[in-house]
Amino acid sequence: MPVAERVPLRPVTMWLLLQSLLLLASCLPSAAAFPKGCYPSEEEGLKTFRCSNARLTEVPRDIPNDTNKLFLDSNRIPFLPRDAFRDLPLLLELDLSHNAIAGVESGAFRGLAEHLHSLDLSSNRLVSVSKDAFSNLKAKVNLSNNPWLCDCRLQELIRTVDLAAGSSGGIVCHSSAQEEHVGKAFLQVIADTDFCNVYKKTTDIAMLVTMFGWFAMVISYLVYYVRQNQEDARRHLEYLKSLPSKQRRSEESSTISTVV
């Protein structure tokens, strides 16, 4: 075939190649959509998304929804809001360790109950968290190395979650109503102290004291009322005795007739 007849084919070939590249690019996740320091990978056949040491101050929104392992460790995240991970239905492992998390809203892990089997919240700033935040969660949870307040709320939380193996010793009382508990492992403390039972007893005592106070006030009023009436009756009798006999009888008669 003459060269002149082959030349027009080049633009067509270039156009087809360009179209193929655009199609391929549209099928791949855009790296520009991820926060700086975050990148997807594949580890042991599982789709992984790493954002370790990325200076994040919140949970990223553009995490691929087919992610199996998510690493958000060593960042500056202070709070986990409701539905923070609801678009990650296939998540198996979630690492939130070494952040500044001080609060976990109820429903923060909603949508993860079916698949999540590992949750790491160690080395954060958790002081007190409602057990509802981990409702229906079946994952092994690491709560060690947080400044916990040892009270009934923490006791209920520990009874709700399934602690990761070897992590229970790291749940230490940073503060407590009883000074002797500070610095001790929480599981060691609750072996001898039932915080929730102590709270119930304190509440019952407060109710009894309040009821006794009201009862004492009622009794005091009744005693005052009776004594006051007795005093009035005594004064009236003395007044009657001080009157002349005829006038007294007249007063008594008029009193009787009035009563009749």
Side-chain angles (χ1 to χ4, degrees):
M1 180 181 293
V3 176
E5 295 181 7
R6 293 202 301 266
V7 172
L9 294 177
R10 292 179 181 175
V12 175
T13 304
M14 293 297 293
W15 182 82
L16 290 174
L17 180 60
L18 180 60
Q19 287 292 98
S20 300
L21 290 173
L22 290 174
L23 181 61
L24 180 62
S26 66
C27 295
L28 295 174
S30 174
F34 302 141
K36 184 179 179 181
C38 300
Y39 61 91
S41 63
E42 189 165 323
E43 301 177 7
E44 301 176 350
L46 297 174
K47 293 187 176 181
T48 303
F49 194 76
R50 286 190 174 274
C51 286
S52 304
N53 291 294
R55 299 184 179 181
L56 298 177
T57 56
E58 63 180 3
V59 177
R61 299 180 181 179
D62 299 316
I63 303 171
N65 56 17
D66 59 349
T67 298
N68 302 128
K69 299 171 69 174
L70 177 58
F71 292 88
L72 298 174
D73 55 299
S74 303
N75 284 289
R76 304 171 183 173
I77 300 172
F79 178 71
L80 297 179
R82 185 187 303 273
D83 296 323
F85 306 97
R86 67 176 180 179
D87 296 326
L88 303 173
L90 303 180
L91 198 61
L92 301 175
E93 297 182 23
L94 176 57
D95 189 347
L96 290 161
S97 63
H98 297 90
N99 272 280
I101 300 171
V104 180
E105 190 173 6
S106 296
F109 304 109
R110 186 162 50 189
L112 303 181
E114 294 298 322
H115 296 92
L116 192 70
H117 63 70
S118 177
L119 172 61
D120 193 345
L121 281 165
S122 63
S123 301
N124 276 283
R125 298 178 184 175
L126 296 172
V127 175
S128 183
V129 179
S130 170
K131 63 179 181 178
D132 297 334
F134 299 87
S135 180
N136 301 319
L137 206 61
K138 301 173 184 177
K140 298 285 186 180
V141 183
N142 188 343
L143 297 172
S144 61
N145 299 320
N146 281 282
W148 291 109
L149 166 63
C150 289
D151 60 359
C152 179
R153 202 177 194 197
L154 179 59
Q155 182 172 315
E156 290 181 338
L157 173 63
I158 297 301
R159 288 175 176 174
T160 300
V161 301
D162 188 4
L163 295 177
S167 68
S168 60
I171 303 175
V172 177
C173 298
H174 184 268
S175 58
S176 174
Q178 290 78 30
E179 189 66 27
E180 65 270 18
H181 296 155
V182 176
K184 294 182 179 179
F186 184 68
L187 292 189
Q188 176 188 346
V189 171
I190 61 174
D192 301 318
T193 305
D194 188 340
F195 285 95
C196 296
N197 193 39
V198 169
Y199 175 77
K200 185 176 183 300
K201 286 182 179 178
T202 303
T203 304
D204 290 344
I205 291 172
M207 290 181 64
L208 286 173
V209 170
T210 303
M211 291 176 64
F212 179 78
W214 280 105
F215 183 72
M217 288 177 62
V218 171
I219 294 299
S220 299
Y221 176 77
L222 289 175
V223 170
Y224 169 78
Y225 181 78
V226 170
R227 287 181 176 178
Q228 187 68 29
N229 284 348
Q230 287 177 343
E231 183 66 21
D232 290 343
R234 186 184 63 79
R235 289 176 180 174
H236 187 64
L237 287 174
E238 290 179 353
Y239 169 73
L240 291 176
K241 289 178 182 179
S242 66
L243 295 174
S245 58
K246 289 183 179 181
Q247 186 177 356
R248 185 168 62 251
R249 283 196 297 270
S250 176
E251 290 255 352
E252 291 174 351
S253 299
S254 62
T255 301
I256 294 173
S257 63
T258 302
V259 173
V260 173

